[in-house]
Amino acid sequence: PSIFLDRHDSTIIADESLGEVIFGGTESGTSSWGQGAKIQALATEAWAVDSAEGTSINFHTTDATTATLDHRMIIDHNGKVGIGTDDPAQLLDVNSKIYLQSDGVIKWGATANQGILTWDTGKVMIGGQSSNSLELRANNTTALTIGTDLNLTTAANLGVGVAPSYP
C-alpha cells in the first residue's frame, strides 16, 4: 500500500508545498485545531515534469508550552541533511552540539587515512591511521605536528623537534 500526496496545478514554483502530513488535535471537539508536528515536501525550483522536480523534505515540531511549529530538520534536493539549519553545507550539517553514545568512536576521511576520535574511561584519544601525523592548530596555522615536531614512541620515549632518545 502507498499514500500518494500530489499537487494538481498549472505551475509549481520554488517554495510551494507539494504535500504535507500534519499531526495535531483539538481538546474541545470544536473546529479549533492545533498542529504539533509536520512533515512537508517543498518544491525547490520551478517544476517541469520529467526534467526539473527539485524537492526537499522538511520536519517541524512544536516546543512544549508554545503553539509555534519550528523547522527542525531538512533533507534538501541534493540529499544533504541539515539539523538546526535549513541550508546544509555538507552531507550532514548539524548546527548545535551533538551527543554520541554507543562505542564512542568517530571516524572521518578516506578509509586508509581516517582520523579517529574516541574516548574511554578517563581519557579522550584523537589520532590518525596509517602513520599519519596529528596537527594541533591555532588561528588556522599549524602550531604543533605530532609525528614531526613531537615524537612519542610506544615505549613512552619522547623527542621534541628530534627523534626520541633512548636511555
Side-chain angles (χ1 to χ4, degrees):
S2 298
I3 297 173
F4 191 78
L5 302 174
D6 63 353
R7 181 184 183 107
H8 292 275
D9 206 336
S10 59
T11 60
I12 297 173
I13 61 173
D15 297 322
E16 281 190 326
S17 179
L18 298 172
E20 52 192 40
V21 177
I22 298 172
F23 303 88
T26 182
E27 292 182 322
S28 62
T30 67
S31 61
S32 179
W33 286 79
Q35 293 184 17
K38 175 171 68 171
I39 302 171
Q40 181 181 44
L42 289 176
T44 59
E45 64 184 342
W47 267 39
V49 174
D50 295 330
S51 65
E53 299 174 356
T55 306
S56 65
I57 299 177
N58 298 268
F59 298 83
H60 303 78
T61 61
T62 303
D63 289 329
T65 72
T66 74
T68 303
L69 277 174
D70 294 312
H71 186 264
R72 305 297 187 177
M73 186 174 86
I74 184 173
I75 303 172
D76 77 4
H77 63 275
N78 291 315
K80 295 177 182 175
V81 176
I83 301 173
T85 177
D86 58 2
D87 188 19
Q90 301 296 325
L91 189 58
L92 176 60
D93 191 341
V94 179
N95 185 18
S96 185
K97 295 177 182 177
I98 60 173
Y99 181 69
L100 300 173
Q101 295 186 35
S102 188
D103 66 355
V105 177
I106 300 171
K107 294 182 180 181
W108 64 92
T111 302
N113 296 303
Q114 287 179 329
I116 299 172
L117 172 63
T118 187
W119 51 92
D120 200 348
T121 304
K123 61 186 170 195
V124 173
M125 298 162 279
I126 187 168
Q129 292 188 165
S130 303
S131 302
N132 292 329
S133 296
L134 173 65
E135 287 186 0
L136 301 179
R137 296 178 152 248
N139 298 319
N140 205 27
T141 303
T142 301
L144 175 69
T145 302
I146 298 173
T148 303
D149 302 323
L150 177 68
N151 294 291
L152 183 62
T153 69
T154 56
N157 295 308
L158 175 66
V160 179
V162 296
S165 60
Y166 300 94

